[in-house]
Amino acid sequence: MSRPRPRTLVPRPALAALLCLTLLALRPAPHAFAADARTEAKQPAPVTLDAKSFPKLFKGLEWRSIGPANMGGRISDFAVVDSNPAQYYAATATGGLFKTRNQGTTWQAVFEKEAVASTGAVAVYQRKPELVWLGTGEANSRNSSAWGKGVYRSDDGGGSWTCMGLEATSTIGRILCDPNDSLTVYVAAVGKLWGPNSERGVYKTHDGGRTWSQVLKVDANTGCVDLAMDPRDPNRLYAAMYARRRTPWSFTGVAVTGGIFRTSDGGKSWTRCSAGLPRRVGRIGLSVYAKNPDVVYAVVESDEGGRLSDFEETSRAGGVFRSDDAGVHWKRISPFSPRSFYFSQIRVQPDDSTRIYLLGTDLYVSDDGGTTFRARGARAVHPDCHAMWVDPHNGKHLLLGTDGG
């Protein structure tokens, strides 16, 4: 049996030399590079345009918006000129303040030059609509919520702004103007979301914002998230006090320090409303019935009896409450309170106390005074409703602010 013949191996130096010779053989001839260069040289030179010819060249072109198609964050609040409802302001969570003069057909950004973009509340002095107040810092308690830098005032309808103080309040939930006095304004300061601060509660100015008095204070953890005024008596107000705290890993928003407080002397003294209300409360929304201001509605968050779920729409102790004696006594009329910490906004139609609106992921409507609610109160709108205005002279005219505009 013959033995197999060994394979012939090419030494490594010889193999490297062979590869180099192959590459040299494949290299293009010098005249090929010269031909390419001559081809490139024949390309036409760029055309030099005279700036004077630009208008003629671009006359037929028009600008069009290519985005972003949405505003900078959810709508926080509306302020409408009652004598001219086509003119109003929309405050956004992280996009500043917008103004329209034609019922929302076109908009103008009017708060772009300041040091803050997050806004929580806006108000117009109705006897002089050029006087506008803006509270910065979104009042919602999401982990993405931004903080503000105090209260601003404009005397020319948003054309220019002056910071009037309260920078340390961080977030503001509502601003109310005394309808008879342009110098008197109330501010609901929620305070910091991520820590304690003493600059929270209800503030009042008698001199157009030059000085402020903290007329209602509970503690460094409890602020004011909503204010409502009796249209018949501007010295009677209701304040929704709210204790909240967010950390990177948790959120708490119910305590015994919160609740509904009322004053009948313009904030000099306050009384906590307790009859008929749960003791442990979270976020609260308020609305006064304009036709009969003794009737007050509230949507109240509470964990008494335990929570039903993380995204609960009903509550064992909270829900919708009504007072028929200006806040002295309250009656629970419904357990419905959709995701209270994030919404808790309630509105009563000015001329019909049986029509109640609750804001949530949807717009919920009641036609029986708040006993029952139906969803789909507004068709084909973006979910998460955060702001609403009802025309005081026409209950069928509404504005709804959502995460989508």
Side-chain angles (χ1 to χ4, degrees):
M1 185 174 181
S2 61
R3 299 177 62 183
R5 297 175 62 183
R7 290 184 300 172
T8 301
L9 301 177
V10 180
R12 289 186 178 179
L15 178 61
L18 179 61
L19 290 174
C20 290
L21 290 173
T22 303
L23 292 174
L24 288 172
L26 295 175
R27 179 186 178 190
H31 62 80
F33 288 108
D36 291 342
R38 288 194 298 270
T39 302
E40 292 179 0
K42 293 180 181 179
Q43 297 294 329
V47 177
T48 302
L49 296 178
D50 185 359
K52 296 181 179 179
S53 64
F54 282 2
K56 181 180 178 180
L57 293 172
F58 297 106
K59 184 177 181 181
L61 300 180
E62 294 182 358
W63 289 99
R64 64 185 178 90
S65 174
I66 59 173
N70 212 335
M71 74 293 154
R74 48 194 161 262
I75 301 297
S76 300
D77 197 14
F78 291 114
V80 183
V81 178
D82 289 348
S83 59
N84 179 22
Q87 179 174 318
Y88 55 89
Y89 300 83
T92 66
T94 56
L97 183 69
F98 290 82
K99 178 181 181 179
T100 179
R101 296 181 175 88
N102 50 20
Q103 198 68 282
T105 303
T106 60
W107 292 88
Q108 177 187 4
V110 294
F111 197 71
E112 293 187 301
K113 300 179 181 179
E114 308 308 321
V116 62
S118 177
T119 63
V122 60
V124 170
Y125 182 62
Q126 297 298 340
R127 292 190 177 185
K128 184 184 177 184
E130 296 79 15
L131 176 53
V132 185
W133 291 88
L134 182 65
T136 61
E138 178 191 8
N140 288 317
S141 300
R142 292 294 298 268
N143 48 2
S144 59
S145 296
W147 52 89
K149 195 181 179 182
V151 176
Y152 288 75
R153 169 178 168 163
S154 175
D155 294 298
D156 54 6
S160 60
W161 297 89
T162 303
C163 182
M164 305 306 296
L166 301 185
E167 292 93 334
T169 57
S170 185
T171 54
I172 292 173
R174 193 76 66 198
I175 296 178
L176 296 180
C177 300
D178 187 317
N180 303 318
D181 182 5
S182 64
L183 301 179
T184 300
V185 179
Y186 298 87
V187 171
V190 194
K192 293 182 178 180
L193 174 60
W194 296 85
N197 68 312
S198 59
E199 299 85 2
R200 62 175 84 210
V202 179
Y203 285 84
K204 180 180 181 180
T205 179
H206 290 283
D207 51 17
R210 291 181 178 85
T211 61
W212 296 90
S213 300
Q214 191 178 25
V215 295
L216 177 58
K217 178 182 178 181
V218 175
D219 58 32
N221 299 306
T222 308
C224 183
V225 70
D226 201 5
L227 277 172
M229 180 181 288
D230 187 331
R232 178 184 53 195
D233 180 6
N235 286 318
R236 176 177 291 171
L237 296 97
Y238 306 88
M241 302 301 286
Y242 179 36
R244 61 173 189 168
R245 177 64 47 78
R246 183 171 286 283
T247 71
W249 57 87
S250 67
F251 175 75
T252 55
V254 179
V256 297
T257 56
I260 301 175
F261 291 72
R262 65 188 294 269
T263 179
S264 298
D265 53 15
K268 294 179 181 179
S269 60
W270 295 84
T271 302
R272 176 172 177 163
C273 306
S274 58
L277 294 170
R279 177 168 173 75
R280 287 183 53 84
V281 296
R283 185 169 180 173
I284 298 172
L286 300 166
S287 186
V288 177
Y289 179 40
K291 192 173 182 178
N292 177 11
D294 287 338
V295 177
V296 186
Y297 281 90
V299 56
V300 179
E301 177 186 14
S302 178
D303 65 357
E304 288 186 3
R307 291 191 179 275
L308 299 175
S309 68
D310 290 337
F311 289 86
E312 61 186 8
E313 291 194 343
T314 58
S315 170
R316 287 191 171 96
V320 178
F321 291 77
R322 170 172 168 154
S323 173
D324 293 299
D325 55 7
V328 178
H329 300 90
W330 295 83
K331 180 181 179 181
R332 186 177 186 236
I333 55 179
S334 172
F336 194 57
S337 178
R339 208 180 183 203
S340 303
F341 98 96
Y342 194 38
F343 300 108
S344 288
Q345 298 280 349
I346 188 170
R347 303 290 185 270
V348 54
Q349 189 163 304
D351 57 351
D352 182 3
S353 64
T354 64
R355 171 59 70 93
I356 310 295
Y357 300 95
L358 266 185
L359 306 190
T361 54
D362 204 339
L363 175 61
Y364 302 96
V365 182
S366 173
D367 290 306
D368 55 14
T371 303
T372 61
F373 285 87
R374 54 182 170 85
R376 302 294 185 269
R379 293 180 294 176
V381 298
H382 196 288
D384 283 15
C385 306
H386 291 282
M388 190 174 192
W389 172 81
V390 185
D391 192 328
H393 307 297
N394 178 12
K396 295 181 179 180
H397 181 202
L398 312 172
L399 292 178
L400 180 66
T402 74
D403 277 3

